[in-house]
Amino acid sequence: MYVVESRGGAIACMLLALFFLGTWPAILTLLERRGRLPQHTYLDYTITNLLAAVIIAFTFGEFGNTNDGKPNFLIQLSQNNWPSVLFAMVGGVVLSLGNLSTQYAWAFVGLSVTEVITSSITVVIGTTLNYFLDDKINRAEILFPGVACFLIAVCLGSAVHASNAKDNKEKLKKLQGSQVGENTSISNGSKTISKNDLEYGSSKLPEKAKAGTASFLIELESRRSIKVFGRSTLIGLAMCLFAGICFSLFSPAFNLATNDQWNTLDDGVPHLSVYTAFFYFSCSCFVIAIILNITFLYHPAFNLPKSSIKAYLNDWEGRGWAFLAGFLCGFGNGLQFMGGQAAGYAAADAVQALPLVSTFWGVLFFGEYRKSSRRTYVLLVGMLSMFIVAVGVLMASSGHRKN
C-alpha cells in the first residue's frame, strides 16, 4: 500500500484537503438556496462520500507490496482487528451527526460563521486530544499558539456574525413598498441573470436583486428551502456548537483506530492502515446519514415539506452538484488522514481552517457580506487573517511519526 512518509508530502495532503473540505459545504449551501430539500441533497452527497472511500481503499490501499507488518486493504478485512474497527466507526458516526447539523445551521447563521465556529471548536478540543494521543510528536511551542489563533478567530467570527446580522436588520428596515412573489421583479439594484448564474441555477427569472441589498435578502428567503425569517439565530448557533463537538471527536477516534494507543489489539495483529480505517469510518458515516435523512423525508424538521423515497429518486435538480460535494468531502477527509498519519493528527487539524475557502465561496457566489458596514469588513479581514496565521503555524508544528 502507498504510505505518505515525508513531511512535505504530508503538508501537500493537508493543503489539498483544506481546499476540498472548504468547498463541499459551499455546494450544499448553493443547493439549499436554490430550494432543493436538504434531505435529498444529503442522501446524494452520502453516496459519493462512501464511494470516495472505496476508491481510496482499492487504489492507495492496494498499491505496492505487502508484508505482515503493513498488510494491504483486502488482507486487513479478514484480520481480527475489531477494536480498532469500532474506533473508526465511532469516528464516522460523530462526523455524520456533525455534518447533518451543519446542513441546517448554514441556513440560520450563514456558511462562513458556521464553518468558523465548528472549525474552531474542533481545533481547540480535537487538536489537544490528538497531541497527547500522538505522544507529543508535534512541537507544542508551535502547535498551541496555532490553537490560540483559532480561539481568536472564533471570537472574531462571532463578532462578524453579530455585526452582519445588525447590518441586515438595518437594510430590511430601510426597504419600503417591496413586493416579493414568484412573478414579481425586484428592481432595487437588479440585473439580468445569465444562464450560468449559480445562485439561481437557470435563466428563467428575468431579474434578480443585487447581492447585499434588502431585496436580495427577501428574494433569498422566498426561494430557499429552509425559511429562517422570524427564527432565532440561537437555533443555528446551538447546532454549530453541537456540530463542533462532534467534529472535535472524529479525528481522535480515527487516531486511536490507526495507532492503537490504548493497546486494544491482540499481540501480532497489525494496526489498521489509514485506508482500511477510512473505509470502516465512511461505512458507519453512510449508515447513520441514510437512516437519519430517510427519517427526515417523512418527519422533516423546521417545517420543511414532507417528501418520500419516490420523490427523492425523481428529484434530479442539482443531483450532480450533490454528488460532487460527496466526492470532495470524501477525498478531503482521506487526504487529511493520510497527512495526519505521517505528520501527526494534531498538525493535520490545520485543514480546519476551511473557513478561508468557504468564506471565499460565500462572498463570490452567495453575496455574503455584500454592502455591509465598515465594522463588519474590518472584523471579517481580522478573522481571515487569524486563520491564515493558524494554518501556517499548525503545519509548521508537523512532526514525524515513528514506524
Side-chain angles (χ1 to χ4, degrees):
M1 64 179 172
Y2 175 76
V3 178
V4 178
E5 295 181 342
S6 69
R7 187 167 178 260
I11 291 176
C13 286
M14 295 176 203
L15 288 173
L16 194 55
L18 172 62
F19 176 75
F20 286 173
L21 294 175
T23 299
W24 75 264
I27 295 175
L28 296 196
T29 301
L30 167 70
L31 295 177
E32 187 276 323
R33 288 179 171 226
R34 285 187 182 177
R36 194 171 196 245
L37 290 177
Q39 307 97 303
H40 293 187
T41 298
Y42 204 75
L43 285 168
D44 289 336
Y45 151 90
T46 299
I47 294 169
T48 49
N49 188 56
L50 175 62
L51 184 57
V54 174
I55 292 172
I56 289 173
F58 280 98
T59 52
F60 293 116
E62 287 292 311
F63 282 162
N65 297 323
T66 185
N67 57 56
D68 292 339
K70 292 183 178 181
N72 285 346
F73 167 66
L74 290 175
I75 294 175
Q76 285 206 309
L77 293 181
S78 61
Q79 293 180 334
N80 184 24
N81 46 29
W82 281 103
S84 293
V85 168
L86 291 176
F87 279 123
M89 296 181 75
V90 167
V93 169
V94 293
L95 177 65
S96 186
L97 293 174
N99 283 341
L100 188 64
S101 299
T102 56
Q103 73 170 335
Y104 292 98
W106 292 326
F108 283 91
V109 296
L111 175 64
S112 302
V113 172
T114 300
E115 298 305 322
V116 167
I117 294 175
T118 57
S119 297
S120 299
I121 294 173
T122 302
V123 167
V124 172
I125 300 176
T127 301
T128 303
L129 292 175
N130 279 321
Y131 173 73
F132 289 103
L133 285 173
D134 280 337
D135 198 24
K136 305 177 182 179
I137 66 173
N138 300 102
R139 288 175 284 177
E141 67 276 12
I142 300 178
L143 178 70
F144 287 105
V147 173
C149 290
F150 270 91
L151 274 174
I152 297 171
V154 74
C155 294
L156 290 172
S158 299
V160 168
H161 169 65
S163 181
N164 194 52
K166 183 179 179 181
D167 293 342
N168 288 339
K169 286 182 180 180
E170 291 297 321
K171 293 173 188 176
L172 292 170
K173 284 181 181 179
K174 292 177 181 178
L175 183 66
Q176 296 179 355
S178 293
Q179 297 179 349
V180 180
E182 290 184 1
N183 300 318
T184 301
S185 172
I186 297 178
S187 59
N188 184 3
S190 62
K191 65 178 182 178
T192 303
I193 300 174
S194 68
K195 284 186 176 181
N196 296 323
D197 191 297
L198 287 175
E199 179 72 27
Y200 279 70
S202 70
S203 57
K204 293 180 181 178
L205 293 175
E207 292 181 328
K208 72 169 183 177
K210 184 177 291 185
T213 64
S215 299
F216 174 83
L217 297 174
I218 296 176
E219 267 194 9
L220 174 61
E221 177 70 7
S222 66
R223 191 172 63 247
R224 71 189 318 162
S225 59
I226 303 175
K227 308 301 182 185
V228 297
F229 276 12
R231 294 179 182 270
S232 173
T233 56
L234 290 177
I235 298 174
L237 293 174
M239 287 189 288
C240 289
L241 177 62
F242 175 76
I245 293 172
C246 289
F247 290 155
S248 68
L249 298 177
F250 83 82
S251 181
F254 194 92
N255 194 347
L256 286 167
T258 54
N259 295 298
D260 191 36
Q261 290 93 335
W262 293 350
N263 299 314
T264 57
L265 293 175
D266 294 335
D267 292 339
V269 178
H271 294 173
L272 282 187
S273 70
V274 170
Y275 313 110
T276 308
F278 187 46
F279 172 76
Y280 284 115
F281 173 94
S282 299
C283 285
S284 64
C285 188
F286 174 82
V287 170
I288 294 298
I290 291 293
I291 292 173
L292 291 178
N293 279 282
I294 289 178
T295 301
F296 287 153
L297 287 177
Y298 297 94
H299 305 283
F302 305 115
N303 296 320
L304 285 166
K306 286 187 177 182
S307 186
S308 64
I309 296 293
K310 182 179 180 180
Y312 159 69
L313 294 174
N314 291 329
D315 180 14
W316 285 91
E317 185 70 28
R319 177 156 286 164
W321 285 108
F323 283 158
L324 175 61
F327 275 124
L328 289 173
C329 183
F331 285 116
N333 284 331
L335 287 165
Q336 176 187 354
F337 295 144
M338 290 167 65
Q341 188 63 19
Y345 285 95
D349 283 335
V351 304
Q352 295 302 325
L354 50 90
L356 281 172
V357 181
S358 60
T359 299
F360 170 77
W361 297 128
V363 171
L364 183 64
F365 290 136
F366 309 138
E368 290 189 358
Y369 307 115
R370 301 279 179 89
K371 298 185 182 297
S372 292
S373 65
R374 180 177 296 180
R375 180 175 184 271
T376 299
Y377 287 138
V378 170
L379 291 169
L380 180 63
V381 170
M383 178 192 78
L384 295 177
S385 298
M386 292 311 302
F387 273 117
I388 292 172
V389 173
V391 71
V393 172
L394 285 181
M395 287 188 179
S397 75
S398 297
H400 189 272
R401 189 182 304 279
K402 297 179 182 178
N403 293 327

